[in-house]
Amino acid sequence: MATAADVEPADSEPEPDPEAAGTGTLAGQIAQRIEADVIRRGWPVGESLGSEVGLRERFGVSRAVLREAVRLVEHHQVAKMRRGPNGGLFVSAPDAGPATRAMVIYLEYVGTSVADLLHARLLLEPIAAGLAADRITEEGIDTLRATLADELAHTDEPGVHSQDPLHPALGRLSGNPVLHLFVDVLTRLTARYAHTSRRISRAETLTAKETSHAAHSAVVDAVIAGDGARAQTELGAHLESVAGWIEKHRVRRGPRIAGTVVEPELAEGPRAKLAEVVAARIHDDIAARGWQLGLVLGSETDLLARYGISRAVLREAVRLLEYHSVARMRRGPGGGLIVAAPEPQASIDTMALFLEFQGVTADDLRIVRNAIELGIVARVAARHDDGEVAGRLGDAVRWATEGPAGDPRKADLFHSELAELAQNPVLSLFLSIITELFRRHAAGHDQPLPGDTAAAEVQHVHQRILDAVLEGDAGLARHRMRRHLDALIPWWH
């Protein structure tokens, strides 16, 4: 049990521990162990994981390292530290905010294009519409009709495609939490592209909104009628129209997306922390400057004055930026907050944790992974004459048997190489999230992953998929990939 003597005053800010910052450090490893323990216990919201003193003894770390680990766990909304008598680290119920923001940060940095987004949306959103049509209820019908009514009521307001709640609603009504979250991310990213559109006339704006509303109405009518095939067709045509509108009107100012990562309602909500809001503002400042790697944004003193915050809040905001590799604080003379290159692991970890909490099933995973991987393999088959395809995939196939014994990446490398060769960062990131979710689920339930005994069989299957790809036979490559993915499903249970 934690006592007042176990914790420092709330306004005290300990000096940073060199082992405590970032996901690959000791603090990051401790955070992952805490999160794995929560998963193993079945995510018991409200249950105590132990006091601060107890956790320090359990993991054998300093107070600074444990507190940094707890900050990461709290940022993921896996658990929250409660101070004072009867305090400790208690399991939380997360929401989608941190997961969505983490993905937007990374995808923005790598220069995701509108074509990348729309390709991913065309693969996933029609499936969501079809599932929604199969599972629609009276409550779902009311939700869709209310969404359309609200959309019509705001037709005269400025902005085109900036807010589009129908698409996430269809994702939620699909009953598949992976689809729901991925569709939400894709919709937000598309809206950020829309913010870079040139100034257009009121008449053109009104026409675009009326066209979009008509398309939405057609999709909703099909879903309510339970006509999944028509819902998919209508939604696909609408997404093609959205892609054309954005491409026609977007101002070319480089490859990156504009807009804010944290929407006002998220930033000012009861669960949001000031440090997260400040971190989001600093990120937006970095993006607005074109993400100049190595740029010094200012010293700690400069940043305190610029954002009007306390040193404790700034330091926690910096930790979050460092966790996402958005920026890093360099101490000493000539130091300051330096712009860095974001890495995908932060978004992968955050999204996988949230989906684990949502109770993703094997069927949920199969539906989304099939859509992504079948789209990927067809896209790579179109590049079959490119020597890079044969070289990289051939190496990946051989590594399944020649790589280090027990290396869990052996079975995944072929799939990750395919994703990179498809040249769509959205699909590559989504596939990494699904793979990470699979690993966390297996680890949390003490289930071994496929080992070296399956290496020869996996190599044979991958080689057959590669043969079809190199022949440019997208249909055969999709068929073989589908059978391979179906064979992997039992490992999820």
Side-chain angles (χ1 to χ4, degrees):
M1 178 183 299
T3 65
D6 292 334
V7 297
E8 296 175 355
D11 59 355
S12 173
E13 179 66 17
E15 285 301 309
D17 188 303
E19 292 187 298
T23 56
T25 60
L26 181 57
Q29 295 166 19
I30 298 303
Q32 290 178 354
R33 289 173 63 183
I34 293 171
E35 291 163 355
D37 185 39
V38 170
I39 295 171
R40 188 175 295 109
R41 295 188 188 192
W43 214 301
V45 175
E47 184 175 301
S48 174
L49 299 172
S51 68
E52 183 178 85
V53 171
L55 291 169
R56 284 170 53 196
E57 292 175 350
R58 173 182 168 188
F59 295 113
V61 295
S62 68
R63 175 177 292 174
V65 170
L66 179 68
R67 289 194 170 182
E68 192 64 33
V70 167
R71 282 187 177 94
L72 294 177
V73 171
E74 288 182 327
H75 180 58
H76 285 158
Q77 298 183 345
V78 173
K80 184 174 180 59
M81 182 64 78
R82 186 184 306 164
R83 307 293 181 182
N86 302 316
L89 190 62
F90 290 84
V91 178
S92 303
D95 62 40
T100 301
R101 291 193 292 274
M103 293 185 68
V104 169
I105 287 171
Y106 175 71
L107 290 173
E108 174 185 81
Y109 169 72
V110 297
T112 302
S113 71
V114 68
D116 295 332
L117 288 177
L118 269 297
H119 179 228
R121 293 185 70 172
L122 283 165
L123 287 177
L124 298 177
E125 290 196 44
I127 296 173
L131 289 173
D134 291 340
R135 303 175 181 182
I136 195 67
T137 62
E138 293 278 352
E139 181 181 1
I141 292 171
D142 290 342
T143 296
L144 293 177
R145 287 179 170 166
T147 301
L148 285 178
D150 184 67
E151 180 179 271
L152 187 61
H154 293 85
T155 299
D156 291 335
E157 295 183 1
V160 183
H161 301 303
S162 59
Q163 299 295 329
D164 204 346
L166 178 67
H167 296 265
L170 290 171
R172 180 173 61 80
L173 292 173
S174 74
N176 185 317
V178 187
L179 272 177
H180 180 198
L181 205 50
F182 285 2
V183 168
D184 187 34
V185 168
L186 291 168
T187 304
R188 290 174 189 240
L189 283 166
T190 305
R192 290 163 72 77
Y193 264 114
H195 284 303
T196 67
S197 299
R198 65 173 173 81
R199 189 176 186 86
I200 59 177
S201 68
R202 177 179 175 81
E204 190 175 2
T205 298
L206 185 60
T207 298
K209 286 191 172 186
E210 290 174 346
T211 300
S212 179
H213 181 72
H216 286 175
S217 298
V219 173
V220 168
D221 287 345
V223 170
I224 291 175
D227 190 341
R230 180 160 62 91
Q232 292 187 13
T233 300
E234 295 285 0
L235 185 55
H238 170 52
L239 290 174
E240 293 281 8
S241 174
V242 171
W245 189 94
I246 294 176
E247 191 60 30
K248 176 183 176 182
H249 295 88
R250 186 164 60 88
V251 176
R252 300 324 194 255
R253 292 178 179 170
R256 295 191 178 93
I257 311 165
T260 58
V261 168
V262 181
E263 292 79 357
E265 65 270 21
L266 288 175
E268 298 171 5
R271 301 183 65 180
K273 288 185 177 181
L274 179 56
E276 292 179 338
V277 177
V278 173
R281 289 174 180 168
I282 294 174
H283 160 264
D284 289 339
D285 287 345
I286 291 171
R289 297 184 185 195
W291 218 298
Q292 303 173 51
L293 298 184
L295 176 69
V296 180
L297 297 171
S299 67
E300 185 174 76
T301 301
D302 294 334
L303 296 171
L304 290 174
R306 185 182 307 166
Y307 296 103
I309 52 176
S310 69
R311 178 172 280 104
V313 169
L314 176 64
R315 288 186 174 179
E316 186 166 350
V318 168
R319 288 189 185 97
L320 294 177
L321 293 168
E322 290 179 333
Y323 173 71
H324 289 290
S325 298
V326 171
R328 299 195 180 281
M329 183 64 78
R330 184 168 63 200
R331 307 293 178 183
L337 191 61
I338 313 296
V339 177
E343 299 174 356
Q345 197 57 46
S347 54
I348 292 169
D349 290 342
T350 310
M351 185 68 84
L353 278 167
F354 177 74
L355 290 173
E356 183 74 43
F357 172 74
Q358 292 290 306
V360 174
T361 67
D363 197 47
D364 294 332
L365 194 71
R366 177 189 61 79
I367 289 169
V368 181
R369 181 166 188 171
N370 279 11
I372 291 173
E373 295 235 40
L374 295 179
I376 284 172
V377 78
R379 196 173 171 110
V380 177
R383 297 182 57 198
H384 66 280
D385 290 332
D386 189 334
E388 183 184 21
V389 172
R392 290 178 60 175
L393 292 181
D395 289 344
V397 168
R398 286 189 293 275
W399 203 65
T401 54
E402 298 172 4
D407 193 322
R409 297 172 300 164
K410 291 167 70 171
D412 297 330
L413 182 62
F414 181 78
H415 296 269
S416 62
E417 287 288 271
L418 269 173
E420 287 192 21
L421 289 166
Q423 300 178 331
N424 184 326
V426 181
L427 297 181
S428 185
L429 181 60
F430 283 2
L431 184 59
S432 296
I433 290 164
I434 292 174
T435 302
E436 179 66 21
L437 182 60
F438 177 87
R439 287 176 179 160
R440 285 177 179 267
H441 185 91
H445 295 82
D446 298 317
Q447 177 178 333
L449 292 168
D452 290 329
T453 55
E457 180 180 352
V458 169
Q459 183 190 37
H460 174 70
V461 173
H462 287 173
Q463 183 62 57
R464 285 176 55 78
I465 295 170
L466 175 56
D467 291 343
V469 167
L470 296 181
E471 292 169 6
D473 192 336
L476 183 60
R478 286 168 57 90
H479 168 76
R480 290 175 177 173
M481 178 63 80
R482 184 183 294 108
R483 289 177 60 85
H484 174 46
L485 294 174
D486 288 345
L488 293 177
I489 288 299
W491 290 100
W492 173 257
H493 296 285

